[in-house]
Amino acid sequence: MTAMLSTVRLLSLVVAAALAGCAAIPPPAPPASREDSRLVPPDLSFTLPDGTVLPARNWLPPPGTATRGVILALHGFGDSRDTWEMPAPHFATAGYAVYAPDQRGFGATATRGRWAGAATMVNDAAALRTQLQARYPDVPVIVMGESMGGAVALLLAARPDAPVNSTTVLLAPAVWNHAEIGIPLRTGLWVAATVSPGWTLTGNEVPLHIQASDNRAALLRLAHDPLTLRRTRVDMLNGLVDMMDQASRAAPSVRGTVLVLNGERDQLVPPAATANLWAHLPTTVRHGTYLTGYHLLLRDDDRDRVTTDILAWLQTPNAWLPSGADLTAAAWLAQRSWQDTTSPLVPGYTLDDAFLPHDPPL
C-alpha cells in the first residue's frame, strides 16, 4: 500500500507540474511584487447553455484598427484567464480580438477545483466559439489552446461537427496516451481516484524541479496569481489523464487548418509524446519547433518570435514561418534526437515506451 501511494504521489505531481506549468508547486513567499499577486477582475462573462458562468478577460484591437479575427484562448491545467496577459496585447495590436475565459473548474468559476470532464469542457469550448462567431459574424474565430487547453482545442477540432474551415493553434499541447504515461502509474492514479477522490496534493509531497519557462517574471506571476489552482484533487488529475489520452486517440480525426508548436526545451510534455502526436495528426497540419522554447511558449523571453509566427501563419497558412520554426521542426523530427530522451517527469520513460500505434479514434 505504501508503495502504491508513493507511486500515485509521484504521478500526481508529475501530471500537475507538467500541465499546470508548475502551478502545482507552492509559490515562494513573499510575492516579489504587488503586480505578481494582483487579482484582475473579469472584463465580461460567458453564460453557457446549462447556465454555467465563465468569467473572462478580453483584449480588443485599438480604435480604428479593423478586426481580422477573434481568438478563443484556452488556458492550461491549474491556470486561468490570466495566462494570456503577455501575448494577448500583441495579437490585439495586429487586429485580433482575444477572449480568454476561465475554463470550468478553474480560475474564478463556481466549480473551481472540480473536474468537469473532457466532454463537458469540449462542449463549453464549442459553445464559446458559437457565441463569439455570433458576435463577430464576418471574421473567423480561431481556437488557441495552451497545454491542457491544447488538448481541449484538439478534441474540439476532431469532433464530427467541426467546421472544415476551422482554425486551431495548439501550443505545447498536453497530449499523452496511456502507453506514454505507463500502466503502473496510470493504474495507481485510477485506484487513488476511486478510493479517495477528494485527496488533494499541493506540490510538497515530492520535490520536483521543473522549469516551465525562462521568463522569471512570468513564473512569479503564475505562482502568485490568486486565480492559479494550487491544491489539486486526485480525481481531477485522473480526469486530466483521461482527457490527454482521448486527445491522443482523436489526433487523426482533426479537421480544418491547424498549427502545432512546441519548445525544444519543454521539460513538461516529453519530446517522444510530441513526436507521437505529430505522427498521428493529418499531414496537412503545420508544425513549428523553437530551440530556445520551453513549455510556456507565449510567456518565454523569446515569445515575440512565437506570436509573430502565429500572426504570419494566420494570414498565409501555406507560407514559411518567419522564424524558420517549421524548418526546425522538420529537422528535429528527422534527426530523431529525442528518440532516447528520458523525461525528467517519468523516470525511465523513453521513446520505446511511447511511440506505439494508436487504437482507432474514439
Side-chain angles (χ1 to χ4, degrees):
M1 184 66 176
T2 301
M4 187 195 78
L5 290 177
S6 297
T7 297
V8 173
R9 286 192 183 100
L10 176 59
L11 178 58
S12 299
L13 265 294
V14 164
V15 175
L19 303 179
C22 296
I25 297 176
S33 70
R34 291 183 180 179
E35 183 73 6
D36 293 332
S37 59
R38 75 192 188 284
L39 175 62
V40 180
D43 300 306
L44 73 161
S45 62
F46 293 96
T47 302
L48 300 175
D50 66 354
T52 297
V53 176
L54 303 182
R57 294 181 66 180
N58 68 344
W59 292 263
L60 303 178
T65 301
T67 300
R68 294 181 172 183
V70 180
I71 296 174
L72 171 58
L74 303 175
H75 61 75
F77 185 85
D79 217 329
S80 71
R81 59 189 186 247
D82 293 340
T83 292
W84 307 94
E85 288 176 335
M86 289 186 173
H90 192 161
F91 291 123
T93 299
Y96 291 88
V98 180
Y99 288 82
D102 288 334
Q103 294 190 75
R104 194 185 298 237
F106 299 93
T109 59
T111 56
R112 174 182 170 87
R114 297 298 183 104
W115 185 248
T120 297
M121 296 177 73
V122 175
N123 286 338
D124 289 352
L128 292 169
R129 180 172 62 185
T130 298
Q131 291 186 31
L132 288 173
Q133 193 66 79
R135 187 176 299 190
Y136 295 87
D138 300 323
V139 297
V141 175
I142 300 105
V143 180
M144 186 178 299
E146 176 185 89
S147 196
M148 179 198 73
V152 174
L154 188 155
L155 285 166
L156 180 61
R159 284 169 44 140
D161 62 350
V164 294
N165 62 344
S166 62
T167 303
T168 306
V169 179
L170 308 176
L171 298 156
V175 180
W176 303 8
N177 62 35
H178 281 181
E180 293 162 356
I181 291 293
I183 293 175
L185 296 180
R186 179 68 188 91
T187 302
L189 181 56
W190 178 84
V191 170
T194 303
V195 174
S196 184
W199 177 29
T200 61
L201 297 107
T202 64
N204 288 319
E205 294 81 2
V206 178
L208 186 66
H209 178 70
I210 297 296
Q211 186 172 352
S213 175
D214 58 353
N215 185 343
R216 176 175 171 79
L219 293 177
L220 288 171
R221 172 60 173 149
L222 173 62
H224 295 294
D225 190 334
L227 296 179
T228 296
L229 190 64
R230 297 189 183 88
R231 298 186 65 88
T232 308
R233 287 170 55 105
V234 72
D235 59 350
M236 200 173 188
L237 294 175
N238 187 58
L240 176 59
V241 170
D242 282 341
M243 174 190 277
M244 291 160 53
D245 184 65
Q246 289 181 42
S248 180
R249 292 170 180 267
S253 300
V254 163
R255 306 175 71 185
T257 306
V258 180
L259 175 67
V260 55
L261 303 175
N262 77 300
E264 204 271 339
R265 297 182 182 179
D266 191 335
Q267 299 176 19
L268 304 170
V269 176
T274 297
N276 199 14
L277 169 64
W278 290 10
H280 292 91
L281 285 168
T283 57
T284 54
V285 171
R286 294 287 302 278
H287 309 109
T289 296
Y290 299 89
L291 295 179
T292 60
Y294 290 79
H295 186 63
L296 304 180
L297 287 170
L298 290 182
R299 284 176 273 187
D300 285 349
D301 284 339
D302 203 21
R303 61 189 176 277
D304 287 349
R305 286 208 311 156
V306 183
T307 53
T308 297
D309 280 353
I310 293 172
L311 289 169
W313 177 80
L314 289 173
Q315 290 301 301
T316 53
N318 295 322
W320 296 108
L321 298 177
S323 72
D326 39 5
L327 296 174
T328 302
W332 178 81
L333 197 62
Q335 291 173 0
R336 301 176 70 85
S337 59
W338 37 265
Q339 184 169 5
D340 298 319
T341 299
T342 299
S343 169
L345 300 173
V346 183
Y349 169 82
T350 65
L351 175 70
D352 292 336
D353 302 315
F355 205 82
L356 304 172
H358 284 260
D359 293 330
L362 296 177

